Amino acid sequence: MRLFDTHCHLDFDIFQDDFEPQLKSAYEQGVSRFVVPSVGSSNWAKVHQMAAGHTDIYYALGMHPYFLHPQSIDELPTLKEWLNRRSHQCIAVGECGLDAMVKVDMALQEKVFIEQVRFATSCQLPLVLHSRKTHHRILQILKQEKFQFGGVLHGFSGSYQQAMQFISLGFYIGIGGVITYPRANKTRQAVAQLPLESLVLETDSPDMPLNGHQGKSNHPKMLGEILSCVALLKGMSEQTIAEIVWKNSNSAFCICE
């Protein structure tokens, strides 16, 4: 069984002291591919270098809304340069999007996000989308920009109807630890109904700990527990789910299997 963690921050400090053993522990649980999205200029070089040393690690270059500041506008040309000279393991623009839950000016968030959508179009790359309480506005911008290269709506925790709107624009839905919580009724029901062909799995490590692991750092090796939860919600075997989401994950980022 092959698993693909489509969103994990392996470059964060918590993984660095014993990186190879950390990676090995994920391999031992069947996780054999990873996408590491960047959050801003502070880690573009780091995710690039990490992927250069590991053929099973892919990365995305972008600017996360949480980490934006007034000077972020000035960093956009540098992001475009990074994308123009990207390696083949750079498979998306992101993590980018909008977040209504952080104290970052929404006008700034929108300007930076729109530019990243345009970069993705010019590079013909998918997007890794971050959205909290902003699904409607992100959908408006994607339609306004006539974006056609799809990607993944990361860390989904919305309704079936919201997810289907992104799927209609060519996006896959990133399913993470939130579905392991019984109280996440709306999202669990949505996952049960959504077409399996539109789902990918993620941990968002070291964030978004699974139910029963609150207060601990998350890890790609936990991806199998998310798979088990999806299988339960879908009433299907884990093997069947794993095979389909493996294909979906590679398709989302145009990676050869």
Side-chain angles (χ1 to χ4, degrees):
M1 189 184 298
R2 297 176 296 178
L3 298 177
F4 192 146
D5 191 341
T6 61
H7 196 112
C8 52
H9 297 281
L10 291 175
D11 63 303
F12 282 16
D13 289 347
I14 193 168
F15 296 114
Q16 295 313 299
D17 287 344
D18 54 350
F19 182 70
E20 294 302 331
Q22 297 270 14
L23 210 52
K24 186 183 178 195
S25 68
Y27 295 149
E28 288 170 348
Q29 298 303 315
V31 186
S32 55
R33 280 185 180 169
F34 313 82
V35 170
V36 181
S38 59
V39 297
S41 59
S42 63
N43 70 338
W44 295 336
K46 196 169 184 180
V47 297
H48 168 80
Q49 289 163 1
M50 178 175 287
H54 300 84
T55 58
D56 42 20
I57 295 177
Y58 298 85
Y59 67 102
L61 295 173
M63 299 170 75
H64 191 302
Y66 183 86
F67 298 98
L68 297 179
H69 48 81
Q71 290 72 42
S72 295
I73 296 293
D74 300 329
E75 295 176 347
L76 284 165
T78 307
L79 173 58
K80 186 62 163 57
E81 288 175 17
W82 269 96
L83 288 165
N84 285 340
R85 53 186 174 87
R86 67 191 182 277
S87 75
H88 72 281
Q89 285 168 275
C90 176
I91 42 67
V93 173
E95 174 175 359
C96 62
L98 303 176
D99 193 322
M101 306 295 287
V102 297
K103 294 179 180 178
V104 178
D105 179 64
M106 188 53 69
L108 172 64
Q109 289 192 45
E110 288 198 9
K111 183 173 179 57
V112 173
F113 176 52
I114 289 168
E115 285 303 309
Q116 291 181 91
V117 173
R118 291 172 179 172
F119 292 167
T121 295
S122 66
C123 294
Q124 299 187 11
L125 287 172
L127 290 165
V128 175
L129 290 177
H130 173 100
S131 176
R132 283 205 302 173
K133 308 289 186 185
T134 56
H135 286 353
H136 179 68
R137 182 60 182 138
I138 284 181
L139 286 163
Q140 281 184 328
I141 290 171
L142 292 171
K143 291 174 184 176
Q144 163 194 308
E145 294 297 320
K146 298 181 172 60
F147 185 70
Q148 298 179 5
F149 297 96
V152 173
L153 175 62
H154 140 70
F156 176 69
S157 62
S159 68
Y160 169 81
Q161 291 78 10
Q162 287 173 326
M164 289 304 297
Q165 287 181 292
F166 283 93
I167 289 169
S168 72
L169 293 182
F171 283 83
Y172 291 81
I173 306 301
I175 306 301
V178 67
I179 64 162
T180 65
Y181 290 84
R183 68 174 184 269
N185 239 1
K186 179 177 66 173
T187 304
R188 286 166 64 92
Q189 288 176 9
V191 171
Q193 297 176 64
L194 288 169
L196 184 55
E197 292 72 21
S198 297
L199 304 184
V200 298
L201 304 181
E202 61 170 71
T203 61
D204 198 18
S205 306
D207 299 323
M208 287 180 64
L210 280 60
N211 185 36
H213 301 272
Q214 294 94 322
K216 300 176 183 175
S217 296
N218 200 0
H219 195 286
K221 68 183 179 184
M222 306 300 292
L223 196 64
E225 292 197 26
I226 298 169
L227 170 71
S228 297
C229 194
V230 173
L232 191 65
L233 291 170
K234 289 286 190 188
M236 300 169 68
S237 74
E238 291 184 19
Q239 183 65 46
T240 299
I241 300 281
E243 289 173 3
I244 294 172
V245 296
W246 173 264
K247 290 179 180 176
N248 296 348
S249 303
N250 288 291
S251 176
F253 298 111
C254 303
I255 298 169
C256 295
E257 288 192 52

